[in-house]
């Protein structure tokens, strides 16, 4: 279903795009997202593949990136749309994360919301820039319902869910 949604969104957007996927999701998506538009990386080629993608700005390329929700600048034609495949929560198998979540029940949701806001900021870098973000994780509406106050108005206005035509 994730690959179907991404391919449908790619068909709707001829501009360059970015897909934020976990490493696990990227491995599963790779055989399903084929064609010359898709640019992939592995742990050792992340920087070089991102540079190649940025040089192709406006070409309609789609970068599937893992661990890149912060620290990249996809301003202007570098990427006009993006997909977030998963809302990432802190790993609660870590004792410290579990303790923080126990002591402050909003903490895990706040960390997930912060990471999601960082991802949205990759394609819309300033007041003269524009882009659209699709969140295709079914857990996102639940987070939003529980903790809407964690998201500023600009963020809520920037989000789009895939339409029926794109799903």
């Amino acid at each position: 279903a994730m690959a179907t949604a991404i391919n449908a969104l790619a068909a709707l957007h001829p501009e360059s795009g970015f897909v934020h996927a976990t490493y696990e999701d990227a491995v599963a998506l790779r055989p399903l997202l084929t064609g010359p538009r898709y640019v992939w990386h592995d742990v050792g080629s992340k920087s070089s593949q991102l540079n190649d993608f940025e040089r192709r700005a406006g070409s309609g390329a789609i970068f599937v990136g893992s661990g890149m929700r912060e620290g990249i600048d996809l301003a202007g034609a570098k990427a006009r749309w993006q997909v977030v495949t998963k809302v990432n929560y802190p790993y609660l198998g870590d004792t410290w994360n579990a303790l923080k979540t126990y002591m402050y029940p909003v903490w895990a949701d706040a960390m997930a919301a912060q990471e999601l806001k960082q991802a949205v900021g990759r394609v819309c870098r300033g007041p003269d820039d524009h882009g659209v973000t699709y969140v295709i994780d079914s857990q996102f509406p639940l987070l939003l319902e529980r903790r809407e106050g964690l998201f500023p108005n600009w963020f809520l206005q920037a989000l789009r869910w895939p339409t029926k035509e794109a799903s």
Side-chain angles (χ1 to χ4, degrees):
M2 188 182 301
T4 300
I6 293 168
N7 275 322
L9 290 167
L12 289 174
H13 294 281
E15 312 93 343
S16 294
F18 197 96
V19 176
H20 296 277
T22 65
Y23 281 102
E24 182 180 350
D25 285 346
V27 168
L29 287 169
R30 194 165 194 157
L32 303 171
L33 301 178
T34 59
R37 288 186 72 188
Y38 291 101
V39 177
W40 300 87
H41 73 86
D42 56 32
V43 174
S45 68
K46 186 185 288 191
S47 181
S48 64
Q49 290 295 89
L50 180 61
N51 287 338
D52 181 54
F53 170 75
E54 289 177 337
R55 279 191 293 277
R56 295 167 57 187
S59 69
I62 302 166
F63 194 92
V64 181
S66 301
M68 302 175 87
R69 294 183 184 204
E70 296 179 359
I72 60 171
D73 181 354
L74 301 173
K78 289 181 185 176
R80 289 291 183 201
W81 63 280
Q82 66 182 340
V83 176
V84 176
T85 63
K86 182 168 178 39
V87 175
N88 288 335
Y89 283 86
Y91 174 59
L92 297 182
D94 176 273
T95 304
W96 186 241
N97 288 346
L99 180 61
K100 286 188 277 190
T101 301
Y102 175 76
M103 293 175 63
Y104 308 102
V106 72
W107 180 79
D109 287 339
M111 294 297 98
Q114 180 62 31
E115 187 171 316
L116 193 53
K117 289 182 280 190
Q118 285 290 332
V120 168
R122 300 309 93 209
V123 300
C124 196
R125 303 297 291 168
D128 297 329
D129 199 3
H130 66 276
V132 63
T133 298
Y134 298 92
V135 180
I136 61 173
D137 184 350
S138 62
Q139 294 302 304
F140 178 65
L142 301 173
L143 172 63
L144 190 58
E145 182 179 313
R146 261 192 332 266
R147 308 285 188 205
E148 185 175 341
L150 293 174
F151 299 98
N153 284 337
W154 66 261
F155 178 87
L156 298 171
Q157 293 167 1
L159 290 175
R160 301 288 184 272
W161 279 278
T163 62
K164 290 192 185 283
E165 297 81 38
S167 56

